[in-house]
Amino acid sequence: MEWNNLHEVLRSLYDDMMPLAGDMAAVAKGLAGLGALFYVALKVWQALSRAEPIDVFPLLRPFALGLCIMFFPTIVLGTINAVLSPVVTGTHTILEDQVLDLNKLQQQKDQLEYEAMVRNPETAYMVSDEEFDKKLDELGWSPSDVGTMAGMYMDRQAYKIEKAIKDWFRNLLEILFQAAALVIDTIRTFFLIVLSILGPIAFAISVWDGFQSTLTQWITRYVSVYLWLPVSDLFSSMLARIQSLILERDIAMLADPTYIPDTSNTVYIIFMIISIIGYFTIPTVTGWVIQAGGAGNFTRNVNQAAMKTGNIAGAGAGSTVGNIGGKLMNK
């Protein structure tokens, strides 16, 4: 199963569990009804005790909340999701455009790197089987030629092993990057499901006098968590754009026939480590868009996990690059 399919599974999970919010309406209606009784009685008693006319407009608040509870999946969730869906769609379109350009540039760079390696007589036989066979045919069977053949086989094998190690570590970082995105999306879906199912209870509690802030807190938290996805898409779009700019510069340098490419991918490895850590800052950035309390501990724990992951990945990257550099220096 591909990574995109896992994200689609989370979307389907949210859609499947959203109707469960209607099942909580029965409990919420009883709680809201009792709260409305006390709320109206308190306001009427206060007005009578002060010999003031009864203001009817504030007394309509419990009835409005009752209507929201009765039709919670349609009125509340449907309205909020309909308003925020264009934001998600727009940011995802931006991401798709950037990823499409990135894939084209990556293919172009890989082809130019191969051609540059083939142009260099010292590296052509390591990447091209035809050049390797051609160089073997030019050699004879004298002791010096046999030693040269053995050296060629060893260099070719060392190049393959070195390339395999680099590709393995690169794939590991890419897996960690995708896993970070999946972790954020999974936690987001869990928060949205909990807020959606228990939303009627939050609305019912807000009917009681003194708990009116529960309603605004629920709305701000739901919107804040919902915006994790578009912020994540914007972050991924930014990363894709940075990679595109790096690839464009590499392609421009590869256009020079005398340029020898650097295949160590050190910049890419460092960039992936930064990206992994950056993904876990999405809840914090979303909190800047709409302020929602109650997620401080989660954000702090996520940031600590991100720093640990970055330290481990950075240590692995440093070890790998250092070993490869040591081997090259010994040569």
Side-chain angles (χ1 to χ4, degrees), residues 34-114:
L34 186 61
L37 178 62
F38 282 97
Y39 179 84
V40 173
L42 177 63
K43 295 299 180 181
V44 172
W45 179 80
Q46 288 178 346
L48 293 177
S49 64
R50 296 170 183 170
E52 298 176 351
I54 299 175
D55 190 1
V56 180
F57 184 76
L59 302 181
L60 299 178
R61 183 176 183 274
F63 300 98
L65 292 176
L67 290 175
C68 292
I69 294 172
M70 292 176 61
F71 306 99
F72 190 81
T74 304
I75 295 179
V76 180
L77 296 180
T79 302
I80 296 177
N81 294 341
V83 172
L84 298 178
S85 292
V87 180
V88 177
T89 304
T91 54
H92 190 68
T93 302
I94 296 174
L95 175 61
E96 289 180 345
D97 295 339
Q98 293 296 331
V99 171
L100 182 61
D101 295 338
L102 178 62
N103 292 333
K104 292 181 180 178
L105 292 173
Q106 186 64 52
Q107 293 176 359
Q108 185 178 356
K109 180 192 173 184
D110 293 340
Q111 182 62 28
L112 291 175
E113 280 187 350
Y114 175 79

Side-chain angles (χ1 to χ4, degrees), residues 135-164:
K135 200 163 186 177
L136 288 179
D137 294 338
E138 294 175 355
L139 298 175
W141 293 99
S142 62
S144 60
D145 293 336
V146 172
T148 303
M149 289 182 185
M152 290 174 58
Y153 276 106
M154 292 177 63
D155 291 341
R156 185 178 172 89
Q157 193 64 27
Y159 173 79
K160 290 182 177 179
I161 294 175
E162 180 180 335
K163 188 174 184 300

Side-chain angles (χ1 to χ4, degrees), residues 25-36 69 200-208:
V27 179
K29 282 186 288 187
L31 183 61
L34 186 61
I69 294 172
I201 302 297
F203 273 62
I205 293 176
S206 66
V207 173
W208 292 75

